[in-house]
Amino acid sequence: MIPLVSRYPLTRCRKLVVTFPTPELPPILALSDYITPNAAFDTQMSASPEFAMHMATFHSHFMFWQDVLDHCSSAEIKRTLLDHFEILFLKQVLCVYRESFCWAHSDHVQGTLH
Amino acid sequence: MDGGSSVAALTYLHRILDSLNNPDLVRITLDYLLAVPEEAQPKHPGTPKSPSALKRRKTLDSIIKLPDAAAQPSPALFSLVDLISTSLRSEYPQTVTATLKVASVLLRRHYFNTLSTLIRAFSTASHARRTIGGHNEEVDRLLVLASVIGDLVSSDRVYEEYRLDALGSLEGHPCSTALLSRGQLNLPRSPAVVQREKNLRKPFFHSINPEDAFLKSLVQLLRSFFANSVETNLSLTDTLIAIVSCGYVTLEGWLLVDPANYSYGDRGEENGPNKTRRMVQEVSKEMSEQGEEHRVLALKHAQQKPSWSPEAVPPMMSTLHNLAEQTRKFKSDIPDFDAHLSRRKLLLRVGDQLEGLPPLSPLPRLSTQANGEDQDHVSSLQRAASASFDADQSGAGPAGLAEDVLQRKITVEPVATVMASGSPKDAAPKEVLWTEDPTTPTAGESSLATQSPPPSVTLNHLLTNTVILQEFILELAALIQVRASLFEDVAFV
């Protein structure tokens, strides 16, 4: 089974701030009060190569899962794969965003420094 | 207090939802994340579970089981809907933007899974549709709003482009295939499409409850449109367009006026029903059939443009109206606002081709080109910019003065969500406070929404958001217009 969970970037990227490469800032943002945020030490920036690699890896694994399911001719194997997906992935997603919800309502430090 | 943890979770969720294609994965993912009740999940033959599969499932459950039963995640207790509704109220703009993107992808790609979860919808099998006269009146009012915001002289080509875009997006919407081919085209479908449809919810005609919490959250964000970040506004308008793009949703009641509130008051002999009846009576001299007379009367009646009271306008539309009215205040209080707005529109359309040009005051009006090529507009603007710069040169130089003007702060209050019964202007904020000191909170006028002082933005930011608003209203008008012809959701009798 593709170790979606062990390589799942969410377990390593707990905080994210959306940024754009400065030379390529879209004109509509440049013509506004948009300020490129400074990320805290534990926060990744979406424009960083590291995050781009994380997201690309995650996406490729996810697409591979779908491809396997699309071409799987055995009903039982397909059922097992779906069970694995639900228990080992979906439930972990629920854990992560429930935790982010708790963080959002606690007195924890913000994800960015202003 | 909010942080990047929500943004991280929402960003990955957005990627997941955007990438979901396999019918079985779509079903289990959305049913789980949105906590769809068991009885509402689509019945599918699926793959029956063998005893060994059940045993493997049980083993997996025991492996993953958390030691603390209370920590066991359950969508029934906390679902994606809860995350979205909470995150939309966040004070952190990036969280709001990321949430709107998740909502938008849900609505665009998995619309019917959001009904009864994210959006409270109700079936409208017998819902009264707006008449053709009512439809024309609604579209006309939207175009008037767009013209209140800014000059529409050069927007004809833009509006036609929006109509073409709307046609493309409506035809390509996942719900439209079934709607457009109902009993009319018997096109063969691939097994993959048939299987996919089995796992999806059956579409049905519906409307949205105006008291729906998600809708109210969107209206709340709309109220502070000019003070929102540009990213939030782009995601907000994208989400609203995504809702309107489904052919099965009826717009009356939550976006457009309910036809039950139409009134055809006496507008005088020329347009009143008396003239209609007289015309019909003249026609009926040649038509002896009683039924034909009634039909003609009904046709004429449907073509009449109705009127309605401001209270009948749904909050979404009245908020757009109030935002447009607020721009009147900007024009009266901010010098050369129209000129700045025209230049900003051109800058955004042409993009970085105009970088380095000096600011203008005022901008000469450019005539619409016959071929409509952007390059011709750029060349014309460059020529006009050079001429204006040479003619207006002073000791300080117009470049520095205009830049200073664009960075000055403006206080913007959120608008109301209802139109005043007297004048629509009563619903707009009383005054635009133009201040040079961005740190000084506004005095006198209190915020309509909260106790906190109203936000201040630069003229630069305000201009961009004003352009976004005008373009959104044009896009909405085009979408409503194209929907009417494509889905026949207006009544002609």
Side-chain angles (χ1 to χ4, degrees):
Chain A
M1 171 190 158
I2 302 295
L4 260 178
V5 174
S6 63
R7 295 184 190 179
Y8 189 31
L10 266 186
T11 61
R12 290 188 289 169
C13 171
R14 289 308 183 105
K15 288 186 182 175
L16 180 73
V17 61
V18 177
T19 57
F20 299 89
T22 308
E24 301 165 15
L25 192 64
I28 200 168
L29 288 182
L31 295 170
S32 72
D33 289 348
Y34 176 82
I35 301 172
T36 300
N38 296 318
F41 70 95
D42 59 346
T43 304
Q44 273 199 327
M45 300 172 77
S46 65
S48 67
E50 189 185 15
F51 177 77
M53 187 190 67
H54 282 168
M55 183 60 88
T57 305
F58 169 76
H59 187 248
S60 68
H61 288 166
F62 192 75
M63 296 307 289
F64 185 80
W65 259 92
Q66 289 202 100
D67 203 40
V68 168
L69 283 168
D70 284 338
H71 294 91
C72 181
S73 55
S74 164
E76 182 147 341
I77 294 177
K78 188 184 277 192
R79 185 68 255 170
T80 304
L81 287 174
L82 288 172
D83 285 343
H84 275 69
F85 180 81
E86 183 178 346
I87 294 168
L88 297 177
F89 180 72
L90 276 185
K91 287 193 176 176
Q92 304 310 306
V93 169
L94 190 63
C95 277
V96 170
Y97 71 60
R98 192 182 66 169
E99 189 179 329
S100 72
F101 173 77
C102 293
W103 277 44
H105 287 77
S106 69
D107 290 332
H108 204 273
V109 66
Q110 287 193 13
T112 59
L113 298 171
H114 294 283
Chain B
M1 299 280 283
D2 197 348
S5 53
S6 296
V7 176
L10 290 163
T11 300
Y12 277 95
L13 275 171
H14 177 266
R15 182 55 72 97
I16 292 169
L17 295 170
D18 198 31
S19 306
L20 273 178
N21 284 318
N22 179 274
D24 293 312
L25 274 183
V26 169
R27 177 182 51 79
I28 66 170
T29 301
L30 296 181
D31 285 352
Y32 186 82
L33 291 180
L34 295 173
V36 176
E38 190 76 31
E39 57 275 9
Q41 295 179 16
K43 301 292 180 286
H44 57 95
T47 54
K49 293 190 179 182
S50 63
S52 58
L54 286 168
K55 194 175 175 185
R56 271 197 294 273
R57 171 81 191 221
K58 208 171 171 182
T59 307
L60 274 172
D61 277 329
S62 61
I63 290 172
I64 300 300
K65 193 171 180 181
L66 295 170
D68 182 5
Q72 188 74 20
S74 169
L77 294 176
F78 184 79
S79 69
L80 180 56
V81 175
D82 297 310
L83 179 66
I84 290 175
S85 63
T86 307
S87 300
L88 281 179
R89 296 193 297 269
S90 170
E91 293 179 0
Y92 187 44
Q94 289 216 353
T95 300
V96 175
T97 303
T99 308
L100 288 169
K101 286 181 177 174
V102 169
S104 177
V105 77
L106 271 174
L107 292 164
R108 283 192 186 280
R109 302 196 72 240
H110 313 288
Y111 183 84
F112 273 91
N113 291 90
T114 67
L115 297 181
S116 77
T117 53
L118 184 62
I119 296 179
R120 270 194 294 163
F122 56 92
S123 176
T124 58
S126 58
H127 190 78
R129 295 177 300 170
R130 62 190 183 280
T131 62
I132 183 65
H135 165 78
N136 289 336
E137 179 67 19
E138 294 273 16
V139 173
D140 285 348
R141 289 192 182 206
L142 277 171
L143 294 177
V144 165
L145 287 187
S147 65
V148 164
I149 293 171
D151 188 13
L152 286 183
V153 170
S154 57
S155 296
D156 290 346
R157 185 169 56 91
V158 173
Y159 187 71
E160 189 55 34
E161 287 172 1
Y162 277 133
R163 281 164 54 94
L164 291 172
D165 285 346
L167 185 63
S169 75
L170 289 174
E171 286 177 341
H173 196 277
C175 301
S176 298
T177 308
L179 189 60
L180 294 175
S181 62
R182 271 180 309 156
Q184 293 169 7
L185 298 172
N186 211 8
L187 299 173
R189 296 180 299 171
S190 67
V193 172
V194 172
Q195 181 60 32
R196 178 184 172 84
E197 288 179 358
K198 278 183 185 171
N199 283 326
L200 297 177
R201 286 181 173 69
K202 205 173 175 58
F204 58 94
F205 287 100
H206 62 279
S207 184
I208 300 175
N209 191 329
E211 295 301 313
D212 175 74
F214 178 66
L215 203 64
K216 286 169 88 168
S217 298
L218 298 182
V219 171
Q220 191 65 20
L221 286 170
L222 208 56
R223 290 180 62 200
S224 55
F225 195 90
F226 295 118
N228 291 343
S229 69
V230 164
E231 292 171 283
T232 297
N233 282 341
L234 291 174
S235 300
L236 173 63
T237 53
D238 189 52
T239 304
L240 291 170
I241 293 293
I243 299 175
V244 178
S245 295
C246 177
Y248 284 93
V249 67
T250 55
L251 306 180
E252 293 81 359
W254 67 275
L255 179 65
L256 304 179
V257 175
D258 191 326
N261 296 318
Y262 287 176
S263 65
Y264 298 89
D266 185 12
R267 293 180 183 177
E269 185 62 26
E270 285 304 314
N271 293 321
N274 290 335
K275 184 188 177 189
T276 305
R277 204 166 286 118
R278 182 167 55 81
M279 288 170 60
V280 169
Q281 284 169 357
E282 289 173 0
V283 172
S284 68
K285 286 178 184 176
E286 302 175 4
M287 297 181 182
S288 58
E289 295 293 327
Q290 191 73 12
E292 197 64 34
E293 180 182 338
H294 285 169
R295 184 168 171 79
V296 169
L297 187 65
L299 277 168
K300 292 287 183 184
H301 181 76
Q303 288 172 5
Q304 288 184 18
K305 284 190 177 180
S307 61
W308 48 77
S309 66
E311 292 82 17
V313 180
M316 182 82 65
M317 191 61 76
S318 59
T319 304
L320 287 177
H321 185 280
N322 293 337
L323 286 171
E325 288 298 318
Q326 194 173 18
T327 62
R328 287 189 200 269
K329 293 291 182 185
F330 297 153
K331 293 179 186 190
S332 65
D333 295 346
I334 301 172
D336 296 325
F337 186 84
D338 279 326
H340 287 302
L341 188 65
S342 297
R343 177 174 168 78
R344 182 53 53 91
K345 282 163 64 173
L346 208 52
L347 276 173
L348 289 172
R349 279 187 201 145
V350 178
D352 55 358
Q353 294 183 43
L354 294 180
E355 273 185 78
L357 279 180
L360 306 175
S361 59
L363 184 72
R365 180 168 295 209
L366 301 176
S367 59
T368 305
Q369 301 282 339
N371 55 8
E373 289 293 335
D374 283 339
Q375 192 56 43
D376 292 337
H377 281 282
V378 172
S379 304
S380 302
L381 183 63
Q382 285 173 335
R383 288 194 296 274
S386 301
S388 178
F389 182 79
D390 292 339
D392 200 26
Q393 208 166 15
S394 65
L401 178 64
E403 186 61 30
D404 180 55
V405 166
L406 289 175
Q407 292 307 315
R408 289 170 77 176
K409 289 282 192 173
I410 301 163
T411 304
V412 186
E413 292 188 10
V415 300
T417 58
V418 292
M419 287 168 59
S421 54
S423 164
K425 294 179 184 178
D426 292 340
K430 297 287 187 290
E431 187 181 336
V432 170
L433 296 180
W434 172 266
T435 174
E436 293 189 31
D437 185 358
T439 61
T440 305
T442 58
E445 293 293 325
S446 60
S447 169
L448 287 172
T450 65
Q451 299 300 322
S452 58
S456 294
V457 297
T458 60
L459 176 59
N460 190 34
H461 186 86
L462 181 65
L463 289 171
T464 299
N465 274 340
T466 305
V467 172
I468 295 173
L469 178 67
Q470 187 186 45
E471 297 292 308
F472 168 62
I473 290 175
L474 288 173
E475 186 180 6
L476 189 63
L479 194 59
I480 292 171
Q481 209 165 16
V482 174
R483 274 184 57 114
S485 58
L486 197 62
F487 300 134
E488 298 178 350
D489 56 352
V490 296
F492 289 88
V493 293

